[in-house]
């Protein structure tokens, strides 16, 4: 027989004892006391520990002190255990509803003083806003009850247990419980009381709950109120001073909808809120009301009658030191940063966030998909056998979770969709959740991606669908069978709005092809955009053995099972630094479209509800990246969806330099999330005069030579470069390898390059199989001519007959040294290549190469399928700033479409390089780093990179795309790099 203690942690009931019904999280003037702060704390390795700690007189002086809210595994430097990261798998045996006896259990105690005048309260309520996972509560030695639902709010009626003066609260928290089986989200397992604890004096004659439903129609508003209060609490008054509303309801039967004339609507772009109060003689509730109507009309998702396109992010609550503990200042800046990067929507993956976050979403303006605290993904490992989603025994658990989700947050205008949860399979319990939501809230639709056939949800939702597949979903004339659907079910799903609840897996360096996904939104009205996975990395701040701080991921805390760095998949690094992918996202989804047509510019306002009166349109002209003119375009105010042609300024075109026109749409005035002048959208036009690249210098008088000579700034021994511009240097050596990105390392089956792939193998596996990371060279010949040197090398790897022939020709004309490299692969290569480039190694000597200035694409790194954020201009950066500190070192720092490059040592110019187009007009890119691709590939964390005494310059004729293969589609075929012949032409001069 199971012990009583083990039976409790295996209890699937959502709560027991004096647990009160779910209600809104409200701003009330009722007396309350925060119990946040230091608590006494004791951690036990199992749940089988005596409950005597709950007694009033228990001596806890020997216990530690811990801050509430917090996660105990993030306190005490390991004294209370360590975090565990899993994506799908459970970190305990799959034995539902049971969990192991080795179940870390935290006991908490604290005293609080109850004012004497609280004795007049009708009841005293103890509220917990978030505890992971199962917890039990005692007040003054009397058990109040237990509950699970880690990211949900729970309130206990403790009126009979409290007294004026000193009181003792005791809480027992079990890390594992039956609820852990339905909380298998892709995140860290972080036990403890991690949200606010509050004791509240509920007044007699107070308001138990209130819901102000709103609507908007053609300038008119509607308020449909729901007030939960005893009859004795009436009259109840609704006041909205700005609208002149002072409505008094004498009895519950009088509460009725109100029509409101001349209101401004709420939207994510124009988050207009009105301050309101709902009050009785005993209590006043403050709310901020936004008028908006949500509806699905055919296959269109509309707010206030206009189609919504989600430029969204999946957002976990994550902080490198606090975990999921909420910090309002940090959260506000987090959302302001989203706004600065044109993000307009949040999916609260995969649980309700701290309630204040939704206040901020209302205020700053976001479309929110509010998700229930539910995921059972680990059952996928056993083909969903035992999955609670279709087990009637778990019905109350599922219904309790969705009820607590909806009831807590129902007043927020930002919430436009309810989501049942994530990756929990499918089944009757999810259908029951949906039915409850539809009955409770008739306006907002229900989402759940796992309902592939559309049996109980209102929106067709998918994860990581490919571009061709989405085209088949969006096209009216498409009749293909959709994933998991019959033909009839497919037809039904095509009658609904389509949303990508997850796409563009932003793990490490990537994703690619964001612009192709965005194009689908404009081509197919049924396609309503989606939510990138995900907003930020979840790295936890840790310290390497040598004292170096770094951001830890799965496995760094000695977990028995873990999913590695899969938790580092955000467009924001753990330290709040935006990645280049976030800049790319901003550029792809920018709300103004620019179409150049001769001497005119067509501007289109792609916004949902805001016109362009808040924007100014600045222009500038640059010659080879040097500004020569600027001004401001006269642009009429464009309503949402409108287009207008405006004349372009007269552009002075240079005969001997590239001429570029850049137009920026900037904020005309500061906002709550960005200052005046913040760039919202940008576009460039190449107005250069046509120019023919200089022809290669032909030679036909080659003769064998020893290859030891000097050509201007270059010195050679045996045909190999040894010095350049007065510095020691080696190279150029063929470089076909890049430190694999997380996408390169994935063996995902969503590959779009099938003839170049092997089932179950990643691209990185194939590159290592073919020896691209360990190439060796055999010199075939060395030839010389007047002021010229020619070498031919055969490059291949041990154990392979595949090879690449590399011809390098150095020639000197006047003081300019030209290098032309012809690269030609043998037949038989059967995989994509990561890059085709040449590498120069530049030892530090007296002064290291530590920076670069360039004319080309910048300022951020760019790749073939990630170029939209890059613009043509002049840029400079230190060698450190050229790379991104991804949590797992990988390919980084490539700048595309290079024209000119200057290598720097401090303020000194070391070497000037002019990159010439090849015969197809293609330009190379460059990477400057302190480590080779091979060194980077061997490191699992930045602190594992070796101390460097050399800078490495790689000039790439081509790079493979990025894709989203770590959890999604592979690189699109048009951005895949096949083994092919390429030419690199450079002209080099010494710095000065």
């Amino acid at each position: 027989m199971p012990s009583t203690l083990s039976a409790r942690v295996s209890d699937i009931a959502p709560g027991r004892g004096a647990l009160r019904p779910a209600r809104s999280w409200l701003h009330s003037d009722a007396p309350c006391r925060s119990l946040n702060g230091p608590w006494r704390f004791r951690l036990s390795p199992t749940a089988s520990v005596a409950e005597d700690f709950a007694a009033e007189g228990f001596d806890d002086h020997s216990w530690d002190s811990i801050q509430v809210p917090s996660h105990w595994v993030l306190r005490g430097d390991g004294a209370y255990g360590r975090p565990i990261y899993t994506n799908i798998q459970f970190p305990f045996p799959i034995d539902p509803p049971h969990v192991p006896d080795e179940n870390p259990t935290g006991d908490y105690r604290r005293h609080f003083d109850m004012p004497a005048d609280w004795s007049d309260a009708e009841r005293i309520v103890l509220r917990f806003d978030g505890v992971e996972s199962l917890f039990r509560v005692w007040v003054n030695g009397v058990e109040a009850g237990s509950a699970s639902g880690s990211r949900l709010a729970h309130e206990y009626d403790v009126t009979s247990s409290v007294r004026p003066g000193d009181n003792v609260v005791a809480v027992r928290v079990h890390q594992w419980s039956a609820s852990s089986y339905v909380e298998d989200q892709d995140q860290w397992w972080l036990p403890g009381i991690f949200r606010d604890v509050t004791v509240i004096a509920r007044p007699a004659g107070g308001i138990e709950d209130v819901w102000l439903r709103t609507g908007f129609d053609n300038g008119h508003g509607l308020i449909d109120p729901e007030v939960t209060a005893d009859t004795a609490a009436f009259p109840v008054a609704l006041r909205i001073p700005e609208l002149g509303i002072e409505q008094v309801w004498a009895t519950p039967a009088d509460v009725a909808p109100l029509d409101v004339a001349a209101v401004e609507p709420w939207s994510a772009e124009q988050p207009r809120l009105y301050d309101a109060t709902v009050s009785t003689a005993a209590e006043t509730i403050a709310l901020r009301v936004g008028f908006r109507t949500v509806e699905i009309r055919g296959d269109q998702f509309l707010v206030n009658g206009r189609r919504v396109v989600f430029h969204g992010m999946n957002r976990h609550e994550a902080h490198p030191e606090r975990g999921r503990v909420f910090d309002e200042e940090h959260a506000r800046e987090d959302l302001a940063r989203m706004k600065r990067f044109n993000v307009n929507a949040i999916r609260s993956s995969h649980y309700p966030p701290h309630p204040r976050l939704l206040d901020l979403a209302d205020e700053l303006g976001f479309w929110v998909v509010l998700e229930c605290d539910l995921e059972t993904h680990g059952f996928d490992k056993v083909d969903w056998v035992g999955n609670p989603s279709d087990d009637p025994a778990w019905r109350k658990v599922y219904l309790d979770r969705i009820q607590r989700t909806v009831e807590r947050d129902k007043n927020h205008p930002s919430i436009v969709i309810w989501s049942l949860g994530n990756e929990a399979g499918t089944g009757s319990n999810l259908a029951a959740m949906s039915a409850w939501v539809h009955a409770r809230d008739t306006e907002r639709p229900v989402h759940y991606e796992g309902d592939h056939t559309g049996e109980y949800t209102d929106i067709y939702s998918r994860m990581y669908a490919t571009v061709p597949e989405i085209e088949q979903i969006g096209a009216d004339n498409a009749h293909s069978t959709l994933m998991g659907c019959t033909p009839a079910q497919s037809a039904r799903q095509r009658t609904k709005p389509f949303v990508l609840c997850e796409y563009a897996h932003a793990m490490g360096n990537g994703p690619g092809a964001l612009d192709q996904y965005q194009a689908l939104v404009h081509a197919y009205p049924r396609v309503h955009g989606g939510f990138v996975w995900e907003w930020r990395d979840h790295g936890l701040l840790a310290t390497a053995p040598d004292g170096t701080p770094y951001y830890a991921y799965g496995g760094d805390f000695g977990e028995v099972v873990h999913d590695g760095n899969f938790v580092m998949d955000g467009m924001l690094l753990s330290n709040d630094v935006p990645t280049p992918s976030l800049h790319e996202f901003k550029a792809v989804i920018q709300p103004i479209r620019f179409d150049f047509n001769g001497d005119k510019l067509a501007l289109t306002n792609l916004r949902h509800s805001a016109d362009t009166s808040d924007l100014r349109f600045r222009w500038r002209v640059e010659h080879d990246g040097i500004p020569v003119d600027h001004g401001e375009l006269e642009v009429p105010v464009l309503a949402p969806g409108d287009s207008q042609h405006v004349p372009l300024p007269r552009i002075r075109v240079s005969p001997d330099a590239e001429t570029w026109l850049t137009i920026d749409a900037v904020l005309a005035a500061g906002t709550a999330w960005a200052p005046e002048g913040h760039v919202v959208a940008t576009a460039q036009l190449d107005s250069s005069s046509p120019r023919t690249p200089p022809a290669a210098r032909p030679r036909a008088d080659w003769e064998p030579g020893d290859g030891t000579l000097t050509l201007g700034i270059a010195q050679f021994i045996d045909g190999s470069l040894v010095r350049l511009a007065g510095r020691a240097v080696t190279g150029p050596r063929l470089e076909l390898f890049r430190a694999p990105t997380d996408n390169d390392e994935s063996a995902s089956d969503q590959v779009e390059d099938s003839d170049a792939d092997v089932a179950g193998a990643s691209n990185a596996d194939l590159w290592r199989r073919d020896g691209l990371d360990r190439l060796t060279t055999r010199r075939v010949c060395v030839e010389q001519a007047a002021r010229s040197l020619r070498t031919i090398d055969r490059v291949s790897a041990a154990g392979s007959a595949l090879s690449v022939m590399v011809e390098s020709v150095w020639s000197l004309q006047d003081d300019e040294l030209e290098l032309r490299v012809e690269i030609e692969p043998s037949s038989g290569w059967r995989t994509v290549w990561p890059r085709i480039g040449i590498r120069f190694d530049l030892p530090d000597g007296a002064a290291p190469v530590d920076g670069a200035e360039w004319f080309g694409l910048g300022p951020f790194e760019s790749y073939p399928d990630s170029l939209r954020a890059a613009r043509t201009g002049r840029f400079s950066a230190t060698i450190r700033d050229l790379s991104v500190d991804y949590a797992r070192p990988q390919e980084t720092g490539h700048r595309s479409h290079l024209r000119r490059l200057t290598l720097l040592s401090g303020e000194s110019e070391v070497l000037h390089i002019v990159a010439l187009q090849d015969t197809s007009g293609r330009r190379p890119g460059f990477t400057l780093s302190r480590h080779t691709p091979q060194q980077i590939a061997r490191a699992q964390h930045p602190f594992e990179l070796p101390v460097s005494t050399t800078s490495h310059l790689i000039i790439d004729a081509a790079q493979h795309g990025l894709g989203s293969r770590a959890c999604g589609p592979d690189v699109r075929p048009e951005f895949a790099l096949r083994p092919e012949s390429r030419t690199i032409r450079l002209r080099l001069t010494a710095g000065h």
Side-chain angles (χ1 to χ4, degrees):
M1 292 290 291
S3 70
T4 302
L5 292 170
S6 63
R8 283 173 178 160
V9 296
S10 300
D11 185 358
I12 64 174
R16 297 191 183 279
L19 194 61
R20 305 185 71 240
R23 65 188 183 110
S24 300
W25 192 83
L26 296 169
H27 298 273
S28 166
D29 67 353
C32 67
R33 288 281 177 91
S34 171
L35 299 189
N36 292 352
W39 289 53
R40 308 302 291 175
F41 179 72
R42 175 187 68 184
L43 183 68
S44 303
T46 74
S48 300
V49 58
E51 298 171 2
D52 57 347
F53 82 102
E56 287 188 70
F58 181 84
D59 184 359
D60 59 19
H61 286 91
S62 63
W63 288 19
D64 297 334
S65 177
I66 196 170
Q67 194 73 15
V68 170
S70 71
H71 304 281
W72 71 62
V73 293
L74 299 184
R75 294 277 172 167
D77 195 25
Y80 310 128
R82 291 293 192 179
I84 298 170
Y85 166 63
T86 61
N87 168 32
I88 297 175
Q89 57 189 332
F90 292 114
F92 45 79
I94 304 175
D95 181 26
H98 307 291
V99 292
D101 294 337
E102 293 86 352
N103 186 358
T105 296
D107 291 331
Y108 296 77
R109 284 174 55 89
R110 75 155 289 167
H111 292 254
F112 75 92
D113 184 72
M114 191 179 91
D117 59 3
W118 281 27
S119 299
D120 298 332
E122 182 176 63
R123 66 181 64 89
I124 305 299
V125 172
L126 183 59
R127 180 182 179 96
F128 294 83
D129 281 305
V131 183
E132 184 175 326
S133 66
L134 170 69
F135 69 106
R136 298 171 62 201
V137 181
W138 293 261
V139 176
N140 294 328
V142 178
E143 184 168 2
S146 63
S148 59
S150 297
R151 272 66 70 173
L152 305 170
H154 298 88
E155 292 183 335
Y156 297 91
D157 187 337
V158 296
T159 310
S160 62
S161 305
V162 296
R163 61 189 173 231
D166 184 59
N167 294 266
V168 179
V169 178
V171 183
R172 169 160 288 179
V173 181
H174 302 289
Q175 176 160 11
W176 310 123
S177 67
S179 69
S180 301
Y181 285 100
V182 294
E183 293 179 0
D184 188 31
Q185 291 95 334
D186 176 9
Q187 61 180 354
W188 295 98
W189 298 86
L190 299 174
I193 305 173
F194 69 95
R195 285 187 184 158
D196 307 301
V197 183
T198 313
V199 60
I200 306 165
R202 296 292 308 132
I207 301 169
E208 185 63 21
D209 202 357
V210 63
W211 184 8
L212 298 183
R213 295 179 175 94
T214 64
F216 178 82
D217 183 19
N218 196 29
H220 293 269
L222 171 71
I223 300 176
D224 186 2
E226 176 184 289
V227 178
T228 305
D230 291 340
T231 301
F234 283 78
V236 174
L238 167 65
R239 296 181 178 89
I240 307 179
E242 193 174 356
L243 296 175
I245 293 175
E246 185 157 348
Q247 176 69 47
V248 178
W249 298 300
T251 70
D254 295 331
V255 178
L258 288 78
D259 289 317
V260 187
V263 299
E264 298 176 46
W266 185 97
S267 73
E269 293 165 359
Q270 296 176 308
R272 182 66 162 92
L273 294 170
Y274 294 89
D275 290 327
T277 60
V278 179
S279 58
T280 68
E283 182 179 18
T284 296
I285 303 293
L287 303 98
R288 305 189 77 186
V289 176
F291 292 90
R292 55 102 184 96
T293 294
V294 179
E295 63 179 322
I296 291 178
R297 194 181 303 162
D299 61 1
Q300 301 288 289
F301 177 82
L302 310 175
V303 174
N304 298 334
R306 291 188 59 85
R307 172 177 174 252
V308 171
V309 175
F310 296 106
H311 304 309
M313 291 284 167
N314 281 278
R315 183 189 181 276
H316 270 288
E317 293 190 308
H319 187 274
E321 296 174 86
R322 295 188 298 271
R324 283 189 284 279
V325 175
F326 183 76
D327 178 86
E328 185 164 331
E329 182 179 355
H330 185 262
R332 179 180 287 276
E333 174 54 28
D334 215 32
L335 297 196
R337 185 182 293 109
M338 284 187 179
K339 296 287 285 189
R340 293 195 293 272
F341 281 90
N342 292 334
V343 175
N344 72 359
I346 296 169
R347 178 179 176 227
S348 69
S349 54
H350 300 291
Y351 43 82
H354 190 283
R356 275 294 289 158
L357 186 96
L358 298 168
D359 286 344
L360 298 178
D362 294 341
E363 174 190 330
L364 294 173
F366 291 92
W367 312 117
V368 174
V369 177
L370 199 285
E371 199 145 83
C372 184
D373 188 8
L374 176 66
E375 181 166 335
T376 68
H377 205 172
F379 287 97
D380 180 56
K381 295 288 187 180
V382 291
D383 295 325
W384 298 100
V385 173
N387 181 26
S389 294
D390 202 36
D391 184 344
W394 291 80
R395 181 72 50 86
K396 288 183 179 179
V397 173
Y398 278 58
L399 288 174
D400 179 76
R401 285 174 179 259
I402 194 63
Q403 289 164 10
R404 293 187 179 277
T405 297
V406 172
E407 296 294 355
R408 192 196 76 168
D409 297 328
K410 55 184 176 285
N411 279 291
H412 292 282
S414 58
I415 298 173
V416 293
I417 296 173
W418 299 113
S419 181
L420 304 180
N422 184 69
E423 292 175 323
T426 190
S428 60
N429 293 338
L430 287 154
M433 294 170 76
S434 179
W436 183 89
V437 176
H438 282 118
R440 183 71 176 109
D441 185 354
T442 58
E443 181 189 38
R444 285 177 279 212
V446 172
H447 164 275
Y448 177 65
E449 183 271 342
D451 180 27
H452 294 144
T453 61
E455 298 296 324
Y456 48 85
T457 48
D458 306 304
I459 291 166
Y460 183 33
S461 177
R462 288 284 306 282
M463 295 180 180
Y464 308 107
T466 65
V467 169
E469 187 179 5
I470 298 170
E471 290 174 336
Q472 288 297 304
I473 293 169
D476 287 336
N477 59 354
H479 300 289
S480 60
T481 301
L482 302 178
M483 187 187 77
C485 293
T486 65
Q489 291 166 339
S490 300
R492 176 172 61 190
Q493 292 292 63
R494 285 192 175 95
T495 66
K496 300 177 180 180
F498 175 76
V499 171
L500 282 161
C501 68
E502 294 179 22
Y503 81 111
H505 192 258
M507 186 176 180
N509 189 349
L514 287 171
D515 52 349
Q516 295 196 354
Y517 282 95
Q518 184 62 16
L520 299 169
V521 166
H522 303 295
Y524 305 104
R526 183 178 304 139
V527 178
H528 287 71
F531 297 82
V532 168
W533 188 267
E534 61 174 308
W535 171 238
R536 65 162 60 244
D537 284 358
H538 296 216
L540 295 175
L541 189 61
T543 304
D546 66 356
T548 302
Y550 74 102
Y551 292 100
Y553 51 74
D556 288 338
F557 296 104
E559 300 101 308
V560 175
V561 296
H562 63 85
D563 287 305
N565 69 317
F566 204 71
V567 76
M568 309 298 247
D569 47 12
M571 286 191 164
L572 202 67
L573 299 178
S574 300
N575 59 355
D576 294 344
V577 173
T579 65
S581 69
L582 185 54
H583 291 275
E584 180 77 0
F585 184 75
K586 175 186 177 181
V588 165
I589 65 168
Q590 62 186 23
I592 305 297
R593 186 168 63 215
F594 302 84
D595 295 303
F596 295 100
N597 184 11
D599 61 353
K600 291 188 180 297
L601 170 65
L603 291 167
T604 304
N605 180 7
L606 301 176
R607 291 165 157 182
H608 172 269
S609 47
D611 63 28
T612 58
S613 59
D614 63 328
L615 302 177
R616 293 201 303 266
F617 292 84
R618 297 174 176 169
W619 62 267
R620 66 183 180 275
V621 175
E622 295 169 324
H623 291 166
D624 278 358
I626 299 173
V628 297
D629 203 359
H630 68 277
E632 191 167 311
L633 288 180
E634 292 294 329
V635 177
V637 174
L638 300 176
D642 282 359
S643 296
Q644 183 73 43
H645 283 82
V646 298
L648 290 173
R650 294 180 62 85
I651 299 172
R652 179 162 56 90
V653 177
S654 171
D656 55 3
E658 292 187 38
T659 301
W660 285 86
L661 170 68
T662 303
I663 299 176
D664 294 324
V666 304
L667 290 179
T671 68
W673 45 270
E676 177 185 352
H678 167 76
V679 177
V680 173
T682 191
Q684 279 194 313
L685 174 66
D686 185 356
S687 300
S688 307
S689 299
R691 286 188 293 167
T692 303
R697 300 165 184 170
R699 305 261 0 173
D701 54 348
W702 297 109
E703 294 182 357
D706 63 6
T708 300
L709 72 163
T710 298
L711 293 175
I713 62 171
Q715 293 177 261
F716 302 87
I717 296 177
D718 297 331
S720 297
L721 180 68
V722 293
R723 293 188 70 79
L724 186 63
R727 299 178 62 93
V729 63
T730 59
R733 56 161 289 171
L734 179 69
E735 188 63 84
L736 301 180
F737 186 67
R738 72 183 185 193
T741 67
D742 291 306
N743 292 317
D744 295 335
E745 289 282 12
S746 173
S748 166
D749 58 359
Q750 291 198 48
V751 294
E752 300 196 39
D753 249 358
S754 57
D755 61 324
D757 286 282
V758 174
S762 69
N763 279 330
D765 290 337
L766 302 180
W767 299 340
R768 288 185 285 258
R769 178 202 67 184
D770 289 345
L772 298 189
D773 58 335
R774 49 182 175 83
L775 296 174
T776 61
T777 300
R778 177 176 66 83
R779 179 136 297 163
V780 175
C781 73
V782 179
E783 297 179 329
Q784 294 176 217
R787 298 166 64 99
S788 299
L789 172 68
R790 176 174 181 249
T791 62
I792 297 177
D793 298 321
R794 184 182 188 273
V795 181
S796 54
S800 174
L802 301 172
S803 65
V804 181
M805 300 303 295
V806 180
E807 178 190 41
S808 301
V809 177
W810 298 85
S811 59
L812 183 65
Q813 184 170 331
D814 299 326
D815 291 330
E816 188 175 63
L817 182 67
E818 179 171 317
L819 168 64
R820 176 173 55 84
V821 181
E822 301 285 354
I823 301 165
E824 184 177 352
S826 68
S827 61
W829 293 93
R830 298 187 59 80
T831 183
V832 295
W833 277 354
R835 70 180 347 137
I836 302 175
I838 54 173
R839 192 180 94 202
F840 297 88
D841 298 329
L842 305 154
D844 288 349
V849 171
D850 56 9
E853 296 176 348
W854 74 98
F855 175 41
L857 288 189
F860 313 108
E861 65 185 24
S862 55
Y863 294 83
D865 54 356
S866 184
L867 290 169
R868 292 285 291 274
R871 59 181 175 84
T872 301
R874 285 182 180 266
F875 309 96
S876 64
T878 66
I879 196 168
R880 176 177 177 81
D881 290 341
L882 285 168
S883 298
V884 178
D885 286 331
Y886 296 113
R888 184 188 69 80
Q890 56 196 275
E891 163 65 28
T892 179
H894 179 76
R895 267 71 178 176
S896 308
H897 298 185
L898 179 66
R899 280 81 160 168
R900 287 191 286 280
L901 171 66
T902 298
L903 301 182
L904 303 174
S905 179
E907 299 296 320
S908 301
E909 298 178 352
V910 174
L911 183 68
H912 300 294
I913 301 173
V914 175
L916 304 177
Q917 301 175 57
D918 65 13
T919 55
S920 298
R922 298 172 295 197
R923 298 183 183 276
F926 83 96
T927 303
L928 182 64
S929 172
R930 291 294 287 174
H931 296 94
T932 67
Q934 292 77 8
Q935 290 172 327
I936 296 170
R938 286 192 288 269
Q940 294 301 305
H941 301 87
F943 70 83
E944 295 171 356
L945 290 167
V947 175
S948 173
T949 59
T950 304
S951 296
H952 306 277
L953 172 67
I954 302 177
I955 303 294
D956 282 318
Q959 273 253 5
H960 186 56
L962 298 174
S964 191
R965 189 172 170 173
C967 186
D970 198 5
V971 175
R972 296 277 294 152
E974 57 267 40
F975 303 119
L977 178 57
R978 305 277 181 163
E980 61 184 28
S981 298
R982 284 288 190 139
T983 301
I984 296 174
R985 289 181 63 198
L986 308 175
R987 290 189 172 174
L988 304 95
T989 54
H992 49 269

